[in-house]
Amino acid sequence: MDEKAFFKMSYGVYIISSCNEGKQSGCVVNTLSQVTSKPANLSVTISKNNYTEKIIEKSGYFAATVLTQNASMELIGEFGFKSSKDIDKFSRFNTKVDSNGIKYVTDFAAARYSCKVINSVDLGTHVMFIGEVLESEVLNNDEVMTYSYYHSVKKGTTPKNAPSYTEKTAQKGYRCTVCGYILEADEIPEDFVCPICGVGKDKFEKL
Ligand SMILES: Cc1cc2nc3c(=O)[nH]c(=O)nc-3n(C[C@H](O)[C@H](O)[C@H](O)COP(=O)(O)O)c2cc1C
């Protein structure tokens, strides 16, 4: 197996959200794609370790937004590296609610979809949900973010729960134990805050 072969695939970056009995949940994914057009169906693959997976399973509905290239690392850090089980991820951002009662973030969102789960495939570590699109809307015409742009320009990392996760190795510096961000420096400043997930110096380990 040549692991680098998987780096040749291209993806976008999205937020998937869902709501069950008033509990809102959401996470960043790169695995959203359109699988049919009539009816319009989307697929998304979510780790069983993600709270959002459980909420989608219970509610049978999910919302999706397409992130724009200028999406902030605060937004990606909140939705991509923390768990909705512990915090309200939506409170720091502008949101709307779709007709299924699911919140979605309108900041840095190029388009949004509301889906009803019509099928799911248990993939062991992950579940692939197939959702029929009930609503779709363009929110702005800014350039959308690709997964490659996220890595190469935003210097973003991917947590273990993402299907495309790979171990990143670095020789020197400090690694964030929450999101894997690597600070290439001899010393880490006392007030340093991870630019991706927002944790402090105490969560960094020396390489
Ligand atoms: C760029 C990026 C892509 C990701 N892609 C996926 C994905 O496709 N599927 C998945 O399960 N998790 C993915 N993740 C990880 C989840 O967003 C992350 O585990 C999140 O904290 C789960 O939140 P929750 O527990 O509130 O659901 C990705 C994260 C990032 C930053």
Side-chain angles (χ1 to χ4, degrees):
M1 287 273 271
D2 181 355
E3 286 221 338
K4 290 196 191 75
F6 297 103
F7 301 158
K8 299 289 183 192
M9 290 179 153
S10 55
Y11 310 89
V13 183
Y14 312 91
I15 292 180
I16 299 296
S17 50
S18 190
C19 176
N20 184 58
E21 295 177 348
K23 176 68 180 168
Q24 302 279 350
S25 182
C27 69
V28 171
V29 301
N30 62 283
T31 50
L32 184 76
S33 50
Q34 181 174 1
V35 287
T36 56
S37 65
K38 281 189 174 116
N41 287 338
L42 307 182
S43 74
V44 65
T45 303
I46 307 199
S47 166
K48 290 179 183 174
N49 292 330
N50 288 350
Y51 195 67
T52 306
E53 190 277 325
K54 289 170 185 58
I55 298 289
I56 297 175
E57 206 142 272
K58 285 183 189 147
S59 71
Y61 290 89
F62 65 88
T65 54
V66 180
L67 293 187
T68 55
Q69 208 170 70
N70 58 348
S72 68
M73 289 313 290
E74 286 71 31
L75 179 66
I76 296 175
E78 191 78 353
F79 280 86
F81 292 94
K82 297 179 186 171
S83 179
S84 311
K85 193 170 177 218
D86 316 317
I87 52 163
D88 174 7
K89 296 186 181 180
F90 298 85
S91 63
R92 293 167 50 198
F93 304 99
N94 292 305
T95 58
K96 282 191 177 169
V97 178
D98 74 6
S99 57
N100 301 317
I102 299 173
K103 275 190 186 174
Y104 59 94
V105 176
T106 53
D107 303 321
F108 311 114
R112 64 123 192 148
Y113 318 89
S114 288
C115 301
K116 175 183 166 54
V117 175
I118 55 162
N119 216 331
S120 65
V121 183
D122 188 332
L123 298 169
T125 54
H126 289 67
V127 176
M128 177 189 274
F129 295 103
I130 311 292
E132 180 172 348
V133 181
L134 307 177
E135 295 173 357
S136 65
E137 188 183 1
V138 171
L139 300 175
N140 74 51
N141 287 313
D142 291 351
E143 193 79 28
V144 299
M145 188 182 290
T146 63
Y147 193 52
S148 150
Y149 183 91
Y150 170 71
H151 283 287
S152 60
V153 182
K154 305 285 273 186
K155 302 290 179 212
T157 61
T158 310
K160 284 192 172 149
N161 288 346
S164 50
Y165 170 79
T166 50
E167 281 292 344
K168 193 174 175 182
T169 50
Q171 297 73 34
K172 64 173 210 147
Y174 294 83
R175 182 192 350 232
C176 176
T177 55
V178 176
C179 73
Y181 172 79
I182 289 169
L183 172 70
E184 286 176 22
D186 294 329
E187 288 298 323
I188 182 163
E190 274 309 314
D191 57 353
F192 188 76
V193 171
C194 178
I196 296 186
C197 68
V199 298
K201 177 189 172 179
D202 59 312
K203 291 280 188 291
F204 276 75
E205 63 185 7
K206 198 169 185 355
L207 297 168

